[in-house]
Amino acid sequence: AQSVTQPDIHITVSEGASLELRCNYSYGATPYLFWYVQSPGQGLQLLLKYFSGDTLVQGIKGFEAEFKRSQSSFNLRKPSVHWSDAAEYFCAVSPANAGNMLTFGGGTRLMVKP
Amino acid sequence: GAVVSQHPSWVICKSGTSVKIECRSLDFQATTMFWYRQFPKQSLMLMATSNEGSKATYEQGVEKDKFLINHASLTLSTLTVTSAHPEDSSFYICSASEPNQETQYFGPGTRLLVL
């Protein structure tokens, strides 16, 4: 069975600082990989996704993620965090070419200090 | 594009009543819709997957007679919480995907409070 681990439950960074949110997955083959963001009381917004090809993926709001097969990781990064980035971030995986059944990580809550 | 709406955004009801939540794909046809439940400060738990015109597939532990799902058209799925009880209070989120597409687009969620 596939699983997703987000090791950091909470992260606090200063505004303007760089950010990296970790995501590790366990799956027999290379899955499809996603990052979603959830603001309080809201649904999830897709930040970016990786299906194949270039392992560095650019997303919305200045976010990027890098797929590293050797480490089974798909970490999310942003060079300079804005106060509006404070939210909950979810990494998710789904089987490639086998439907779109998502398995979510536990989430990482990002807080931004002024 | 790929906008999903939910209605209502929040609802308060008395114990024993039924509540219907609608999920609509506004600018695309969704052959598959998903219903999730999210408890405070937790991740999303998939409740069921619905395909247009067929019965929903429920995840283990989810009571299908309790949570009725109907996906009658390519743009609308409904979740009815029957005989709601306080333990059903939660944040319910739907998502939808286009045919042959691997990405789910999420609605804004519905917060249910059962008194």
Side-chain angles (χ1 to χ4, degrees):
Chain A
Q2 57 195 28
S3 65
V4 182
T5 302
Q6 293 180 244
D8 305 303
I9 298 175
H10 293 100
I11 283 186
T12 300
V13 300
S14 297
E15 190 169 17
S18 63
L19 170 70
E20 182 169 31
L21 302 182
R22 296 183 291 165
C23 173
N24 293 96
Y25 66 91
S26 174
Y27 188 63
T30 299
Y32 290 166
L33 298 156
F34 305 82
W35 274 100
Y36 287 90
V37 60
Q38 183 182 34
S39 297
Q42 301 294 316
L44 276 67
Q45 181 181 22
L46 179 68
L47 285 176
L48 47 79
K49 58 188 177 184
Y50 172 79
F51 289 174
S52 65
D54 192 344
T55 57
L56 184 62
V57 181
Q58 301 298 319
I60 63 171
K61 303 185 178 185
F63 285 93
E64 66 177 27
E66 185 171 13
F67 168 57
K68 293 185 177 180
R69 185 191 308 272
S70 61
Q71 299 177 20
S72 296
S73 69
F74 189 56
N75 295 348
L76 182 71
R77 300 194 295 251
K78 186 170 184 177
S80 177
V81 170
H82 188 262
W83 64 266
S84 60
D85 293 324
E88 186 88 20
Y89 291 80
F90 292 97
C91 180
V93 304
S94 72
N97 298 321
N100 47 14
M101 303 299 290
L102 288 174
T103 299
F104 283 91
T108 297
R109 181 166 296 277
L110 172 66
M111 290 173 280
V112 180
K113 293 188 300 184
Chain B
V3 178
V4 177
S5 70
Q6 276 184 248
H7 178 80
S9 56
W10 60 270
V11 57
I12 301 174
C13 70
K14 293 182 179 180
S15 185
T17 61
S18 294
V19 175
K20 179 183 284 188
I21 303 170
E22 292 186 349
C23 177
R24 292 181 185 273
S25 56
L26 298 185
D27 52 1
F28 66 100
Q29 293 185 328
T31 49
T32 306
M33 288 185 168
F34 303 84
W35 287 95
Y36 295 85
R37 185 173 180 177
Q38 186 180 31
F39 292 102
K41 299 185 180 181
Q42 294 189 26
S43 190
L44 281 73
M45 180 190 77
L46 179 65
M47 299 174 66
T49 303
S50 73
N51 292 294
E52 186 266 337
S54 62
K55 291 184 178 180
T57 301
Y58 290 81
E59 295 299 300
Q60 192 172 6
V62 178
E63 300 174 61
K64 59 182 179 182
D65 295 329
K66 172 78 171 174
F67 299 99
L68 300 179
I69 292 173
N70 183 275
H71 191 163
S73 78
L74 286 172
T75 59
L76 173 65
S77 176
T78 60
L79 167 68
T80 301
V81 183
T82 62
S83 187
H85 288 93
E87 57 266 30
D88 298 324
S89 299
S90 191
F91 193 54
Y92 292 88
I93 306 177
C94 74
S95 70
S97 62
E98 298 175 86
N100 301 316
Q101 298 296 313
E102 306 291 347
T103 302
Q104 290 184 32
Y105 297 96
F106 286 80
T110 297
R111 186 161 302 281
L112 170 63
L113 177 61
V114 184
L115 302 177

